[in-house]
Amino acid sequence: MQKFNRFMVGCCFALTVSGCVTQNYENDKSTPVVQNESTQNEIAMTRISLGLGYLKMGNTSQAKLNLEKAKRFAPKLVQVYTAFAHYYDTVGEPEQAIQSYEKALSIKSDDADTLNNYGVFLCKQGRYQAAEEQMLKAIAVPSYILVAQSYENLALCQLQANDFNKAELYLGKSIAHSPSNASSLLNMVKLQYAKGDYKQADVFLKRYEKASRRFSPESLALAYKVFAKGRNLKTAKNYAAMLVKMFPNSYQSKQYLLNGLSTIEADKLAQKYQESLRTAAQKSRKKRMVKLSPNSSVVKNTVKKPEKPSQEIVKSQAEKDVAVDSAEKINQVNSEGQQVTLPVHVVVKGDSLYSISKKYNIHMKAIERWNGIKRSNVLKIGDVIYLANPKKIVKS
């Protein structure tokens, strides 16, 4: 996905004359130079600009020297501490960066630029909830005009946190605030592609092309994949031809000629989306209730002390321990109102119908018949497998 909006230090000040006058000594310390507060702020901003310029060139010592001078001229200027935060982030000192952001916000708690930049920084540190809180505070400032960019930052942060629903929500808000924001539109195309909604991806792709009025290797490769996945092969080939013709030396063009663009950035996002669905499904399965039949009701799931099957095949003590943990029984009420006991096996990683049948010495066909499944079915962790015929279980 596109990177977060870059750190920016605002350099616009209202140059109103202040009644507060201070003295400053230049090289000749015996000669005072009278300056007002606005002049001090101007000097500080110049030093900040120099410091960030040195930081960009990799000269960290000169960068810090100029930022220290800026702080000496204007110790209560918010931009001094946001610049220091950027410096500490760059040199790998996250705790000091946090202290600098907190200092800036102690001076002006509703400085929207600081709140947004602090949120972006926290997201980079993996503190997603705290990042979301700071960026939402920035958006809530009435005078803040970069709302669309902050919503996009929020969306990108939620993608890092694998919260695809929130990411889609915030991208939608970003586009609503700035309908021609090409960056947000392209990110929405990637997100819809990752979710497998190729029709919606096509809708946002058209909006992106209209807003940007230009092509890039990334957008052309993404368009090719959207239409190829959507089985519109003619349009997909047109985009591929444009890619090769307009950007013959690009990485995407070379990959298309080499392997038909088997994997692009959006495919990695799609893989993360599928993983998030599997994780959610596994959590849901843990809460699953076992029912005997559509007409029966579960009174209580009670796990009795496991009983070793009479003819169980155990090759080692480790396998025996697994058998003891897995062989459970549940008490239920059947359709006739009688309480019955049914032995079950809860599927764990590595299980198959064959391994279960060997473990309990039960014929695989019987397990298939009792559970209404086939040998080709894929077992999932948490699935409950009946180890007896549910229609002929005995009273407990």
Side-chain angles (χ1 to χ4, degrees), residues 81-276:
Y81 299 99
T82 54
F84 263 112
H86 181 52
Y87 166 81
Y88 286 125
D89 182 22
T90 303
V91 298
E93 297 288 351
E95 292 303 319
Q96 289 178 279
I98 290 174
Q99 292 174 12
S100 296
Y101 276 122
E102 294 292 346
K103 177 63 176 178
L105 291 173
S106 71
I107 297 171
K108 189 178 181 183
S109 61
D110 64 345
D111 187 84
D113 289 329
T114 301
L115 290 166
N116 176 75
N117 293 334
Y118 191 16
V120 171
F121 167 79
L122 290 171
C123 189
K124 287 168 59 180
Q125 303 302 312
R127 298 174 57 178
Y128 303 119
Q129 184 175 351
E132 184 179 20
E133 290 173 0
Q134 296 299 326
M135 284 187 270
L136 287 175
K137 286 180 183 178
I139 291 169
V141 176
S143 60
Y144 190 46
I145 61 175
L146 300 178
V147 173
Q149 288 87 332
S150 285
Y151 271 129
E152 185 178 7
N153 285 341
L154 269 169
L156 296 177
C157 187
Q158 294 305 317
L159 285 177
Q160 287 190 20
N162 289 333
D163 193 330
F164 287 82
N165 291 331
K166 274 191 176 181
E168 186 172 10
L169 171 67
Y170 288 136
L171 272 180
K173 287 181 177 292
S174 176
I175 294 170
H177 280 272
S178 181
S180 59
N181 186 341
S183 174
S184 293
L185 289 167
L186 186 61
N187 280 322
M188 184 63 94
V189 177
K190 295 177 184 177
L191 179 55
Q192 297 301 327
Y193 173 86
K195 295 179 69 175
D197 192 340
Y198 306 118
K199 289 184 179 179
Q200 277 298 303
D202 182 17
V203 169
F204 284 104
L205 179 64
K206 287 182 171 63
R207 292 182 61 179
Y208 163 77
E209 292 174 348
K210 184 177 179 180
S212 64
R213 296 185 179 182
R214 64 182 179 85
F215 294 105
S216 68
E218 181 187 23
S219 65
L220 288 172
L222 180 58
Y224 165 77
K225 293 285 287 191
V226 167
F227 288 105
K229 290 282 188 178
R231 301 194 179 280
N232 188 340
L233 299 183
K234 182 178 180 180
T235 305
K237 289 180 180 179
N238 288 339
Y239 275 105
M242 291 172 63
L243 173 64
V244 174
K245 184 176 181 179
M246 296 173 66
F247 304 98
N249 297 320
S250 68
Y251 171 80
Q252 291 83 355
S253 179
K254 293 176 181 177
Q255 286 298 303
Y256 172 74
L257 295 174
L258 181 65
N259 55 33
L261 281 172
S262 60
T263 303
I264 62 173
E265 183 183 4
D267 287 309
K268 297 176 182 178
L269 187 64
Q271 185 177 2
K272 286 181 63 177
Y273 177 69
Q274 292 300 323
E275 289 173 356
S276 72

Side-chain angles (χ1 to χ4, degrees), residues 9-13 45 79:
V9 177
C11 58
C12 296
F13 284 93
M45 288 303 300
Q79 284 84 350

Side-chain angles (χ1 to χ4, degrees), residues 277-300:
L277 293 181
R278 284 193 290 270
T279 301
Q282 288 175 2
K283 290 180 179 179
S284 176
R285 252 183 242 117
K286 290 179 181 179
K287 301 178 181 179
R288 179 179 172 183
M289 296 291 289
V290 180
K291 291 187 178 182
L292 185 61
S293 69
N295 297 324
S296 66
S297 58
V298 177
V299 175
K300 185 179 180 182

